[in-house]
């Protein structure tokens, strides 16, 4: 029976592959690779391998995971279109390249917004893993280090993929396979980038400038190998046709384009005709209007009187010692920041730093991390407290000792303790996605989540609060 079951599964996979090839030939031509650049063919291999497996398992899980996977697939196909353009065109100017990147950027936002709109989903950890790592599609704009950028985005998904593995490890192997298939997409993409686009997207040395051709659609490539998975759903067919809608829209735009002249046909209402100045007119109006109030066209404001809204000025980055305080502020995409020559009486204040890393050497009094995003902090010894406030996706590593770490109003915080700081007290409030990593004998770290959900019961004399089972 086991052999028969295995044979049936193999036949089902073969039928699915044949159906995919058949559908793709209708969309993309005969499947020949003639005339297609080698790096486009290699990307198609990625689509037909890890991406196809991810799409299949997502379909088996169904629900929000399947819908999310279709959005990811669409983003990958848009990126394939850009790769085809790069294989046929010369590199455009920065402005025109931004235009070519816009569809990818918009699809990344679609994927991320789906996660935000479905925070109550039972599969929220799956959605979060995808949402946190999908910016990896932007590697095409990350010269000269696109590969490390994909690695960074993959690491951002690990927190949630580990949650999925923990939840389903002994419950449903399908979800474990989903994690493996999804992460393999980005692992294979890193290998692909290393081979074909090591320092940035490779462009053709001949052909027109990319702005002249634009990004080819996936349907126009003709000879491309068949992509995997179900195609995105077709756009809804309009229920009204042609000439009537076009004529009405044209008339509407013509009226709007009159500008201030749009109000020239309105009749002037004198004071003796206004009901709020002549209450007796209300009684002469017969039946009382019960519907909604009519729309009133606002009077256009004079351009000269409208105040100019100035964009906020970007503050300059700072790393300096002011008295006893080290100020590290407004650092962005800055790696290998180091504070040396510290003293016990000094403190460090880290404010509004993004996608940066900072190392503090020596022993200081305290550290405050305020309003930072994707910050990595490594320090030796702190005699007071380390405070993390209003942050997102930060990683803190203790090399020596620290008595207390406080986490407040923060989403996503990984704390790596050293062997000498295992007695550290960790206090948290109004925060989520917190993990403490404990060193093991082998040199690795074991991850332990900090509880986020509690339950309180009245025992007749006082409230007794404990961690809920699902949060422990």
């Amino acid at each position: 029976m086991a052999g028969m079951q295995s044979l049936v599964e193999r036949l089902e996979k073969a039928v699915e592959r044949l159906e995919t090839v058949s559908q793709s030939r209708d969309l993309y031509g005969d499947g020949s690779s003639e005339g297609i650049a080698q790096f486009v063919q290699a990307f198609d291999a990625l689509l037909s391998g890890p991406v196809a497996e991810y799409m299949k398992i997502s379909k088996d899980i169904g629900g929000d995971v399947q819908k999310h996977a279709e959005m990811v697939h669409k983003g990958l196909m848009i990126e394939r279109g850009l790769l085809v353009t790069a294989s046929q065109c010369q590199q455009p100017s920065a402005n025109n390249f931004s235009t070519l990147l816009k569809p990818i950027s918009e699809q990344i936002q679609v994927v991320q917004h789906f996660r935000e709109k479905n925070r109550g989903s039972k599969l929220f950890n799956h959605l979060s893993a995808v949402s946190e790592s999908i910016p990896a599609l932007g590697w095409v704009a990350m010269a000269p280090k696109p590969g490390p950028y994909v690695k960074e985005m993959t690491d951002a998904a690990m927190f949630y993929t580990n949650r999925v593995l923990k939840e389903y490890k002994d419950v449903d192997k399908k979800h474990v396979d989903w994690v493996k298939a999804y992460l393999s997409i980005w692992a294979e993409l890193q290998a692909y980038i290393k081979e074909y686009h090591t320092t940035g997207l490779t462009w053709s040395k001949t052909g027109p400038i990319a702005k002249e051709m634009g990004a080819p659609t996936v349907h126009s490539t003709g000879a491309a190998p068949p992509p995997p998975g179900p195609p995105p759903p077709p756009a809804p067919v309009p229920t009204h046709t042609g000439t009537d809608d076009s004529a009405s829209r044209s008339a509407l735009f013509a009226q709007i384009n009159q500008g201030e002249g749009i109000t020239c046909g309105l009749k002037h209402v004198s004071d003796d005709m206004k009901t709020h100045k002549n209450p007796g007119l209300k009684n002469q109006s017969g039946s009382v209007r019960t519907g909604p109030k009519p729309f009133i066209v606002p009077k256009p404001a004079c351009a000269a009187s409208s105040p100019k809204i100035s964009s906020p000025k970007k503050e300059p980055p700072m790393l300096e010692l002011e008295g006893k305080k080290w100020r590290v502020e407004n650092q962005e995409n800055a790696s290998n920041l180091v504070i040396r020559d510290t003293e016990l009486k000094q403190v460090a204040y880290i404010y509004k730093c993004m996608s940066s890393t900072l190392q503090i050497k020596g022993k200081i009094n305290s550290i405050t991390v305020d309003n930072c995003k994707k910050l990595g902090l490594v320090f030796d010894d702190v005699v007071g407290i380390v405070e993390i406030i209003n942050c997102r996706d930060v990683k803190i590593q203790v090399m020596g000792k620290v008595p207390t770490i406080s986490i407040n109003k923060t989403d996503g915080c990984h704390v790596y303790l050293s062997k000498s700081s295992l007695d550290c007290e960790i206090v948290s409030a109004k925060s989520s996605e917190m993990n403490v990593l404990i060193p093991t004998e082998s040199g690795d770290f074991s991850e332990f989540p900090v509880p986020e959900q509690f339950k309180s019961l009245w025992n007749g004399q006082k409230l007794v609060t404990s961690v809920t089972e699902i949060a422990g």
Side-chain angles (χ1 to χ4, degrees):
M1 287 298 292
M4 181 64 71
Q5 181 66 26
S6 175
L7 177 61
V8 170
E9 290 178 357
R10 289 171 59 190
L11 286 172
E12 287 177 348
K13 290 181 180 179
V15 170
E16 286 180 3
R17 184 172 292 276
L18 288 172
E19 289 176 347
T20 302
V21 170
S22 177
Q23 293 172 1
S24 300
R25 281 178 175 170
D26 293 339
L27 292 173
Y28 300 91
D30 60 2
S32 170
S33 62
E34 183 179 355
I36 300 298
Q38 187 175 1
F39 66 76
V40 178
Q41 295 181 40
F43 192 80
D44 286 329
L46 174 69
L47 295 174
S48 60
V51 176
E53 182 68 14
Y54 160 69
M55 294 296 296
K56 179 183 179 300
I57 300 175
S58 297
K59 184 178 179 181
D60 292 342
I61 295 174
D64 291 337
V65 168
Q66 181 180 1
K67 294 176 185 176
H68 219 201
E70 290 170 357
M71 297 174 188
V72 173
H73 182 264
K74 184 176 180 180
L76 288 163
M77 297 310 297
I78 293 172
E79 186 151 282
R80 183 190 185 277
L82 179 61
L83 292 175
V84 173
T85 298
S87 72
Q88 298 172 354
C89 305
Q90 298 182 52
Q91 185 170 359
S93 64
N95 289 339
N96 290 318
F97 187 40
S98 298
T99 303
L100 292 177
L101 291 175
K102 188 176 180 182
I104 295 177
S105 175
E106 290 176 344
Q107 190 61 24
I108 289 173
Q109 293 179 37
V110 168
V111 173
Q112 293 180 327
H113 288 165
F114 184 82
R115 175 250 193 141
E116 296 302 320
K117 290 188 297 185
N118 293 277
R119 283 189 165 271
S121 172
K122 294 181 179 179
L123 301 171
F124 181 71
N125 287 329
H126 298 67
L127 304 185
S128 296
V130 174
S131 180
E132 290 294 324
S133 53
I134 194 63
L137 290 180
W139 68 266
V140 289
M142 291 299 167
K145 296 182 179 180
Y149 174 74
V150 174
K151 176 65 166 60
E152 181 183 349
M153 293 300 102
T154 306
D155 291 344
M158 289 298 186
F159 174 79
Y160 293 101
T161 54
N162 287 342
R163 280 190 165 188
V164 175
L165 293 174
K166 182 179 178 181
E167 182 178 357
Y168 291 96
K169 181 173 62 175
D170 301 320
V171 178
D172 191 343
K173 186 176 179 296
K174 189 189 306 177
H175 295 264
V176 176
D177 293 339
W178 180 88
V179 169
K180 294 178 180 178
Y182 181 70
L183 293 180
S184 70
I185 294 175
W186 306 122
E188 292 293 328
L189 182 60
Q190 290 176 61
Y192 165 80
I193 292 171
K194 185 176 181 180
E195 183 171 357
Y196 296 100
H197 311 276
T198 309
T199 58
L201 180 60
T202 302
W203 294 86
S204 174
K205 301 299 182 183
T206 59
I209 303 297
K211 66 177 182 179
E212 299 176 6
M213 176 174 289
T217 63
V218 290
H219 296 282
S220 66
T221 59
V237 179
T239 55
H240 300 286
T241 60
T243 56
D244 293 339
D245 284 350
S246 298
S248 61
R249 281 196 296 269
S250 299
L252 175 61
F253 292 140
Q255 287 184 340
I256 293 173
N257 289 331
Q258 294 179 57
E260 294 186 6
I262 194 171
T263 62
C264 64
L266 298 179
K267 182 179 177 181
H268 176 70
V269 180
S270 59
D271 288 347
D272 61 345
M273 300 171 65
K274 299 176 181 177
T275 57
H276 70 281
K277 292 191 175 182
N278 295 280
L281 293 177
K282 295 182 179 179
N283 299 328
Q284 301 175 13
S285 59
S287 59
V288 179
R289 180 184 179 94
T290 58
K293 293 183 179 180
F295 174 74
I296 301 174
V297 179
K299 186 177 292 186
C302 178
S305 64
S306 59
K308 292 183 179 179
I309 301 175
S310 58
S311 58
K313 185 178 180 181
K314 189 174 181 180
E315 297 294 331
M318 175 186 297
L319 197 164
E320 63 183 29
L321 179 62
E322 273 189 4
K324 298 178 182 179
K325 178 189 287 187
W326 284 98
R327 293 180 59 187
V328 185
E329 300 180 7
N330 306 306
Q331 299 286 347
E332 189 168 343
N333 297 316
S335 58
N336 302 321
L337 297 171
V338 181
I339 294 178
R340 297 184 175 89
D341 303 324
T342 56
E343 297 178 6
L344 186 60
K345 61 184 179 182
Q346 294 174 345
V347 300
Y349 180 66
I350 307 160
Y351 178 68
K352 278 193 175 179
C353 294
M354 296 180 61
S355 303
S356 301
T357 58
L358 170 66
Q359 184 176 6
I360 301 176
K361 296 188 176 182
K363 182 182 292 187
I364 65 173
N365 187 274
S366 66
I367 300 174
T368 300
V369 183
D370 185 8
N371 212 0
C372 294
K373 182 177 180 182
K374 293 187 177 178
L375 172 75
L377 172 65
V378 181
F379 61 89
D380 290 342
D381 295 281
V382 171
V383 297
I385 186 172
V386 175
E387 293 182 275
I388 299 101
I389 308 170
N390 293 320
C391 293
R392 181 176 177 186
D393 297 332
V394 294
K395 295 182 179 179
I396 312 296
Q397 183 164 8
V398 187
M399 304 304 291
K401 283 185 68 66
V402 58
T404 305
I405 296 177
S406 173
I407 308 171
N408 285 288
K409 297 180 182 179
T410 294
D411 294 322
C413 182
H414 287 62
V415 178
Y416 294 77
L417 297 178
S418 64
K419 290 184 178 179
S420 58
S421 62
L422 295 179
D423 58 347
C424 171
E425 180 178 81
I426 297 176
V427 182
S428 62
K430 296 183 179 180
S431 300
S432 63
E433 303 168 14
M434 299 170 289
N435 286 273
V436 177
L437 292 98
I438 306 298
T440 62
E441 294 297 327
S442 63
D444 294 326
F445 286 85
S446 296
E447 187 176 16
F448 298 90
V450 177
E452 302 172 15
Q453 190 173 23
F454 304 87
K455 62 180 178 181
S456 298
L457 296 173
W458 177 252
N459 68 355
Q461 296 180 334
K462 63 179 181 179
L463 280 177
V464 178
T465 301
S466 61
V467 177
T468 61
E469 292 181 1
I470 60 171

